Amino acid sequence: MNPRSDVHPPTEAAIPAPPSQTLSRGIRALEILAAADRPLSIAELTQALGVHRSVAYRILRTLEDHSLLVRDDSGRVQPGPGLAVLASGVSRNLQTAALPELTQLANTFHMTAFVAVWDHQECVTLVTVEPRHSGAALAQHPGSRHPVSTGAPGIAIQSTMTEEHWQQVGSGNPYRPEAHEARHLGYATSHDEVIAGLSSIAAPIQVPGGRPAAIAVVYIRSDQDADAVGKALAASAARIESQLA
């Protein structure tokens, strides 16, 4: 009898599949373009990707075929309309429920209002509304990222959990002491954390079946009544949660 006849080869599901390098590079290219404050040349994007120019061309051509990026008349590359189609499906229910609240907050307090979602080590801006007729409002673009351990949105998200729970799911990020106060107040504040000179206020949103999010505003003014804004954010968060329930 073959002594190894009882040993079965591992099933396909048991063998971890290696990541796709090409797909990873394509996604990274989109991340670079989304973070850039201007269209990039092919050479700039190639350097940022760390690949040969021919590889970059193949990646860009594929993304261009799907309208995920476009080139301007000078050949520079920028995000394309296909990304907006994809983004519209991300947390669609949360976006739909949040948009009226964001619009009301932005125009009431003359601040940029946004929803941030928790993505492993970071908070990512999902949807944003800038106030009408206000030239002093700060821009907060969808897709903007900052560490979940800094800023009011991250503190608000942490406030939905106990410190013990966060240690289990927080990917090694420290639990902010301010999260205890935020749980009591219903909102969190931060100053000079994500960007020097800016302040933010955020309230947590419990998403059924998903990770918690935060509704927030960002501003420069030092005379703002943080408590009034915080309470308004908490009320908006409660209404969003009722829509999601």
Side-chain angles (χ1 to χ4, degrees), residues 101-125:
E101 298 294 336
L102 293 173
T103 302
Q104 178 67 26
L105 289 166
N107 292 318
T108 298
F109 295 106
H110 306 290
M111 301 175 182
T112 296
F114 62 99
V115 167
V117 295
W118 173 29
D119 181 26
H120 300 289
Q121 302 286 342
E122 298 173 308
C123 285
V124 182
T125 299

Short mmCIF file of all heavy atoms in Angstrom, two decimals, residues 101-125:
data_model
loop_
_atom_site.label_atom_id
_atom_site.label_comp_id
_atom_site.label_asym_id
_atom_site.label_seq_id
_atom_site.Cartn_x
_atom_site.Cartn_y
_atom_site.Cartn_z
N GLU A 101 -28.99 65.86 4.49
CA GLU A 101 -28.44 66.36 5.76
C GLU A 101 -27.17 67.18 5.53
O GLU A 101 -26.97 68.23 6.15
CB GLU A 101 -28.14 65.20 6.71
CG GLU A 101 -29.36 64.39 7.10
CD GLU A 101 -30.36 65.18 7.94
OE1 GLU A 101 -29.95 66.17 8.61
OE2 GLU A 101 -31.55 64.84 7.91
N LEU A 102 -26.31 66.71 4.64
CA LEU A 102 -25.08 67.43 4.34
C LEU A 102 -25.39 68.80 3.74
O LEU A 102 -24.75 69.80 4.08
CB LEU A 102 -24.22 66.62 3.37
CG LEU A 102 -23.63 65.30 3.90
CD1 LEU A 102 -22.96 64.53 2.77
CD2 LEU A 102 -22.63 65.57 5.02
N THR A 103 -26.37 68.83 2.85
CA THR A 103 -26.74 70.10 2.21
C THR A 103 -27.24 71.09 3.24
O THR A 103 -26.88 72.27 3.23
CB THR A 103 -27.81 69.85 1.13
OG1 THR A 103 -27.30 68.91 0.17
CG2 THR A 103 -28.18 71.14 0.43
N GLN A 104 -28.10 70.62 4.14
CA GLN A 104 -28.64 71.48 5.19
C GLN A 104 -27.53 72.00 6.10
O GLN A 104 -27.48 73.19 6.43
CB GLN A 104 -29.69 70.72 6.00
CG GLN A 104 -30.30 71.50 7.15
CD GLN A 104 -31.16 72.66 6.68
OE1 GLN A 104 -31.69 72.62 5.57
NE2 GLN A 104 -31.29 73.69 7.51
N LEU A 105 -26.63 71.11 6.52
CA LEU A 105 -25.54 71.51 7.42
C LEU A 105 -24.61 72.52 6.74
O LEU A 105 -24.21 73.52 7.34
CB LEU A 105 -24.74 70.28 7.85
CG LEU A 105 -25.43 69.33 8.81
CD1 LEU A 105 -24.68 67.99 8.86
CD2 LEU A 105 -25.51 69.94 10.21
N ALA A 106 -24.24 72.23 5.49
CA ALA A 106 -23.32 73.11 4.78
C ALA A 106 -23.86 74.52 4.64
O ALA A 106 -23.15 75.51 4.85
CB ALA A 106 -23.00 72.53 3.41
N ASN A 107 -25.15 74.64 4.33
CA ASN A 107 -25.73 75.96 4.09
C ASN A 107 -26.15 76.66 5.38
O ASN A 107 -26.25 77.89 5.41
CB ASN A 107 -26.92 75.84 3.14
CG ASN A 107 -26.50 75.44 1.75
OD1 ASN A 107 -25.50 75.95 1.23
ND2 ASN A 107 -27.24 74.53 1.13
N THR A 108 -26.37 75.90 6.44
CA THR A 108 -26.70 76.51 7.73
C THR A 108 -25.46 77.10 8.40
O THR A 108 -25.48 78.22 8.91
CB THR A 108 -27.36 75.48 8.66
OG1 THR A 108 -28.57 75.03 8.09
CG2 THR A 108 -27.63 76.09 10.04
N PHE A 109 -24.38 76.33 8.39
CA PHE A 109 -23.17 76.76 9.10
C PHE A 109 -22.09 77.32 8.18
O PHE A 109 -21.02 77.71 8.65
CB PHE A 109 -22.62 75.57 9.89
CG PHE A 109 -23.54 75.11 10.98
CD1 PHE A 109 -24.25 73.92 10.86
CD2 PHE A 109 -23.70 75.86 12.14
CE1 PHE A 109 -25.10 73.48 11.85
CE2 PHE A 109 -24.55 75.44 13.14
CZ PHE A 109 -25.26 74.24 13.01
N HIS A 110 -22.35 77.33 6.87
CA HIS A 110 -21.39 77.86 5.90
C HIS A 110 -20.04 77.15 6.01
O HIS A 110 -18.98 77.78 6.02
CB HIS A 110 -21.22 79.38 6.08
CG HIS A 110 -22.51 80.13 6.03
ND1 HIS A 110 -23.25 80.27 4.87
CD2 HIS A 110 -23.22 80.73 7.02
CE1 HIS A 110 -24.35 80.96 5.14
NE2 HIS A 110 -24.36 81.24 6.43
N MET A 111 -20.12 75.83 6.10
CA MET A 111 -18.93 74.99 6.16
C MET A 111 -19.10 73.84 5.18
O MET A 111 -20.22 73.48 4.82
CB MET A 111 -18.76 74.37 7.56
CG MET A 111 -18.64 75.31 8.70
SD MET A 111 -18.61 74.36 10.25
CE MET A 111 -18.52 75.69 11.45
N THR A 112 -18.00 73.27 4.76
CA THR A 112 -18.06 72.05 3.96
C THR A 112 -18.45 70.89 4.87
O THR A 112 -17.85 70.68 5.93
CB THR A 112 -16.71 71.76 3.30
OG1 THR A 112 -16.41 72.82 2.39
CG2 THR A 112 -16.73 70.44 2.55
N ALA A 113 -19.47 70.14 4.47
CA ALA A 113 -19.95 68.99 5.24
C ALA A 113 -19.69 67.72 4.43
O ALA A 113 -19.78 67.73 3.20
CB ALA A 113 -21.44 69.13 5.53
N PHE A 114 -19.35 66.65 5.14
CA PHE A 114 -19.01 65.42 4.43
C PHE A 114 -19.28 64.20 5.30
O PHE A 114 -19.45 64.31 6.53
CB PHE A 114 -17.54 65.44 4.00
CG PHE A 114 -16.54 65.51 5.13
CD1 PHE A 114 -15.90 64.38 5.60
CD2 PHE A 114 -16.22 66.73 5.71
CE1 PHE A 114 -14.97 64.44 6.63
CE2 PHE A 114 -15.29 66.82 6.75
CZ PHE A 114 -14.67 65.66 7.20
N VAL A 115 -19.33 63.06 4.66
CA VAL A 115 -19.41 61.77 5.35
C VAL A 115 -18.10 61.04 5.12
O VAL A 115 -17.62 60.94 3.99
CB VAL A 115 -20.60 60.93 4.85
CG1 VAL A 115 -20.49 59.48 5.34
CG2 VAL A 115 -21.91 61.53 5.31
N ALA A 116 -17.52 60.54 6.19
CA ALA A 116 -16.29 59.75 6.12
C ALA A 116 -16.59 58.32 6.54
O ALA A 116 -17.35 58.10 7.50
CB ALA A 116 -15.21 60.34 7.02
N VAL A 117 -16.01 57.37 5.84
CA VAL A 117 -16.19 55.96 6.17
C VAL A 117 -14.85 55.39 6.62
O VAL A 117 -13.79 55.87 6.23
CB VAL A 117 -16.75 55.16 4.98
CG1 VAL A 117 -18.15 55.62 4.65
CG2 VAL A 117 -15.86 55.29 3.75
N TRP A 118 -14.91 54.37 7.44
CA TRP A 118 -13.71 53.75 7.99
C TRP A 118 -13.22 52.67 7.03
O TRP A 118 -13.94 51.76 6.67
CB TRP A 118 -14.06 53.17 9.36
CG TRP A 118 -12.98 52.36 10.00
CD1 TRP A 118 -11.63 52.50 9.85
CD2 TRP A 118 -13.16 51.28 10.91
NE1 TRP A 118 -10.96 51.57 10.61
CE2 TRP A 118 -11.88 50.80 11.27
CE3 TRP A 118 -14.29 50.66 11.46
CZ2 TRP A 118 -11.71 49.75 12.15
CZ3 TRP A 118 -14.10 49.62 12.34
CH2 TRP A 118 -12.82 49.17 12.69
N ASP A 119 -11.94 52.80 6.63
CA ASP A 119 -11.32 51.84 5.71
C ASP A 119 -9.98 51.40 6.29
O ASP A 119 -8.94 51.99 5.99
CB ASP A 119 -11.13 52.48 4.33
CG ASP A 119 -10.49 51.53 3.32
OD1 ASP A 119 -10.66 50.30 3.49
OD2 ASP A 119 -9.84 52.02 2.37
N HIS A 120 -10.02 50.38 7.14
CA HIS A 120 -8.81 49.81 7.75
C HIS A 120 -8.03 50.87 8.53
O HIS A 120 -8.45 51.24 9.61
CB HIS A 120 -7.95 49.13 6.69
CG HIS A 120 -8.65 48.01 5.98
ND1 HIS A 120 -8.95 46.82 6.59
CD2 HIS A 120 -9.14 47.93 4.72
CE1 HIS A 120 -9.59 46.04 5.74
NE2 HIS A 120 -9.73 46.69 4.60
N GLN A 121 -6.93 51.36 7.98
CA GLN A 121 -6.09 52.31 8.69
C GLN A 121 -6.52 53.76 8.50
O GLN A 121 -5.92 54.66 9.10
CB GLN A 121 -4.63 52.17 8.20
CG GLN A 121 -4.02 50.79 8.36
CD GLN A 121 -3.68 50.46 9.79
OE1 GLN A 121 -3.58 51.34 10.64
NE2 GLN A 121 -3.50 49.18 10.09
N GLU A 122 -7.52 54.00 7.69
CA GLU A 122 -7.84 55.36 7.29
C GLU A 122 -9.33 55.67 7.35
O GLU A 122 -10.16 54.77 7.37
CB GLU A 122 -7.34 55.61 5.85
CG GLU A 122 -5.83 55.47 5.69
CD GLU A 122 -5.41 55.56 4.24
OE1 GLU A 122 -5.98 54.82 3.42
OE2 GLU A 122 -4.53 56.39 3.94
N CYS A 123 -9.62 56.96 7.35
CA CYS A 123 -10.96 57.47 7.09
C CYS A 123 -10.97 57.99 5.65
O CYS A 123 -10.05 58.71 5.25
CB CYS A 123 -11.32 58.60 8.04
SG CYS A 123 -11.70 58.07 9.71
N VAL A 124 -11.98 57.64 4.91
CA VAL A 124 -12.09 58.05 3.50
C VAL A 124 -13.36 58.87 3.33
O VAL A 124 -14.44 58.46 3.76
CB VAL A 124 -12.13 56.82 2.56
CG1 VAL A 124 -12.18 57.27 1.12
CG2 VAL A 124 -10.93 55.91 2.81
N THR A 125 -13.23 60.04 2.69
CA THR A 125 -14.39 60.87 2.43
C THR A 125 -15.25 60.22 1.34
O THR A 125 -14.77 59.96 0.24
CB THR A 125 -13.97 62.28 1.98
OG1 THR A 125 -13.20 62.89 3.02
CG2 THR A 125 -15.19 63.14 1.67
#
